[in-house]
Amino acid sequence: MSYDAAAVALGDAASIVITTHINPDGDGIGSGLALLLALAKPGKRVRFLCPSTVASLYGFLPRFAELRPILDEAQAAAEDPCDVMISCDAGDLQRLGAVTKVRHGRLINLDHHVTNTRFGHINLVDEAAESSGVVVEKLLRRLGVPLDRAIAECLYTTIVFDTGRFMHSNTTAHTFRWTAELLETGIDASEINRRLTYTKSPKDLAIVKLALEHLAIDDDPRLAGIVLTAAAIAAVGEPEDWGDLVEIPRSLAGNRVAYLMREAKDGKSVRVSLRSNPPIEVGAVAQAFGGGGHAYAAGCTVVKPLAEAVAEVRARLRKQLA
Ligand code: AMP
Ligand code: MN
Ligand code: MN
C-alpha cells in the first residue's frame, strides 16, 4: 500500500520539503499548504519550496507567507537537504523545475494526472481524484491527522480550482459529499470563492480584453482559441497569474476544443493550454507535444516559433475533432 509507505516515510522524516509544479495553481498550492499544516510537529522541519513565484491571489490561505520560490540550481544547492520530498499535483519530474536539485532522500509523488510518469520512490497517483487535494486528504487519514478549519480551507481551494467551481466533467456525487465534509469544519466557502474569483487587477482585465480581441473562431465554433504574440503581451504587461483565459473560447455555444497559445518573451517557445468536452480528449494531444495533464484539460510547451507551433497544434486538434 503506497499510502502506508508514504505515511511511514513522512513519520520517520526529521526534515521534509513539500513542492508543486511550476506556475503553481490552486490545486498545487492548496495541497501543499494542507500538508504543511498537517505535518508540522515539534522536532520536524517542514518547508514548502516552489519552482516559480506564486500568485499573490492565494495570499489568504493559511501559512501562505512560508512559501519560498527556488528559481535556479544555485538557490537549490543553497538549501539544506531533506529526508523526504513530497511533490503535489505534478505529472512529471520536469514540472518540478529546480526544486528537484535540492538534495533529498525519498521522493513521494502525490498526483492525479492521467499522464503521470510515476517518477517517485513512492507514488500516490489517483487518476480518479478530482484534485490532488483529494489524494492529500486520503494521506492525512493514514497519518491520523484530523481535518480542521485551516486544512479544510486549503483543500476546498484545490477542489474549487480543479473542478472549475464544480463545473467540469470531473465533478461527481463524491465531489459534493467530500466538499460537504470540508464545509462542516466551519470554513467560509463563499468568502474563499470570492478570494479565488474576484481578484483581478486592472492589468489582468486588460489581458482579458486582449484575449477577446484575439479570439479566433475557425471554420466552425467546435474549434476556437486565442493566440497571443509576445509583443501583444508586452504591450499590456505580463499578468501575475494567467487565470483561465482558455475559458473564453470554451464558452462559445457548440465549442468542443478550446486553446490558448502564448508566445514566450524570447520567441523560442509557445505555452499551450487545451480544453475539451467529452468525448473529445486533448490529453493525448498535449502529450504528443511533450506535455500532459488530464483527458479534457491539458497543456504543453512547444519549443518552436509561434507560427509553426500554432499550425502544428491546430492540425492535431482538427484531427482529434474529426
Ligand atoms: P493549464 O492549461 O496550464 O491550466 O493546464 C491544464 C492541465 O494540464 C493541468 O492539470 C496541468 O497540470 C497540466 N499541464 C499543463 N502543462 C503541462 C505540461 N507541460 N506537462 C504536463 N502537464 C501539464
Ligand atoms: Mn495543477
Ligand atoms: Mn490538479
Side-chain angles (χ1 to χ4, degrees):
M1 291 299 282
S2 302
Y3 282 97
D4 291 334
V8 169
L10 291 166
D12 288 348
S15 159
I16 298 168
V17 164
I18 298 165
T19 190
T20 182
H21 59 77
I22 49 173
N23 302 321
D25 55 30
D27 190 19
I29 294 164
S31 293
L33 287 174
L35 280 172
L36 189 65
L37 288 157
L39 294 172
K41 274 208 181 91
K44 250 190 187 5
R45 180 171 182 218
V46 189
R47 285 165 280 171
F48 191 164
L49 306 178
C50 259
S52 352
T53 52
V54 181
S56 58
L57 81 95
Y58 297 105
F60 71 93
L61 286 170
R63 303 190 59 175
F64 176 84
E66 288 173 49
L67 267 160
R68 275 194 296 126
I70 298 289
L71 302 179
D72 53 43
E73 290 196 19
Q75 277 184 311
E79 281 292 323
D80 293 334
C82 64
D83 301 320
V84 171
M85 181 178 283
I86 179 162
S87 154
C88 299
D89 199 43
D92 60 67
L93 211 52
Q94 286 65 46
R95 299 275 288 158
L96 300 182
V99 174
T100 54
K101 304 291 181 193
V102 175
R103 276 162 299 154
H104 57 275
R106 307 197 88 192
L107 176 61
I108 302 173
N109 161 22
L110 184 157
D111 186 38
H112 68 133
H113 290 97
V114 272
T115 54
N116 189 287
T117 57
R118 270 58 176 184
F119 58 85
H121 299 109
I122 300 170
N123 297 291
L124 304 181
V125 182
D126 183 353
E127 294 156 7
E130 303 90 321
S131 68
S132 290
V134 171
V135 187
V136 168
E137 198 259 338
K138 276 192 193 156
L139 176 60
L140 297 192
R141 277 175 205 249
R142 296 307 161 106
L143 288 165
V145 176
L147 276 186
D148 61 19
R149 187 181 160 137
I151 291 174
E153 281 173 350
C154 300
L155 295 180
Y156 181 77
T157 296
T158 75
I159 201 88
V160 167
F161 190 89
D162 267 25
T163 61
R165 304 180 200 101
F166 308 103
M167 244 188 73
H168 299 332
S169 55
N170 58 347
T171 308
T172 64
H174 168 269
T175 315
F176 288 108
R177 275 195 289 269
W178 190 81
T179 307
E181 277 182 44
L182 301 181
L183 295 200
E184 275 159 5
T185 66
I187 61 171
D188 187 344
S190 164
E191 173 64 12
I192 298 173
N193 296 340
R194 275 195 297 275
R195 294 289 214 136
L196 292 173
T197 310
Y198 303 134
T199 52
K200 297 221 190 307
S201 63
K203 194 162 116 187
D204 291 336
L205 288 183
I207 284 284
V208 173
K209 183 174 170 223
L210 182 76
L212 280 166
E213 284 164 358
H214 286 80
L215 177 63
I217 306 169
D218 291 25
D219 1 49
D220 67 66
R222 292 187 309 151
L223 180 66
I226 294 164
V227 176
L228 298 178
T229 63
I233 296 166
V236 179
E238 184 112 12
E240 201 193 17
D241 186 89
W242 278 94
D244 48 8
L245 292 182
V246 71
E247 294 297 321
I248 296 173
R250 198 185 198 183
S251 68
L252 270 168
N255 180 256
R256 288 270 166 256
V257 175
Y259 59 84
L260 170 71
M261 302 195 218
R262 307 189 256 119
E263 185 182 26
K265 263 191 214 128
D266 62 8
K268 288 184 180 152
S269 68
V270 180
R271 167 76 217 158
V272 180
S273 283
L274 303 173
R275 299 291 185 273
S276 63
N277 292 323
I280 293 157
E281 300 191 355
V282 286
V285 176
Q287 220 171 1
F289 290 98
H294 307 286
Y296 309 112
C300 56
T301 298
V302 182
V303 189
K304 289 203 168 147
L306 184 65
E308 236 174 278
V310 169
E312 286 183 25
V313 173
R314 277 174 40 164
R316 274 259 177 186
L317 292 175
R318 245 186 243 113
K319 228 165 89 184
Q320 199 71 4
L321 262 172

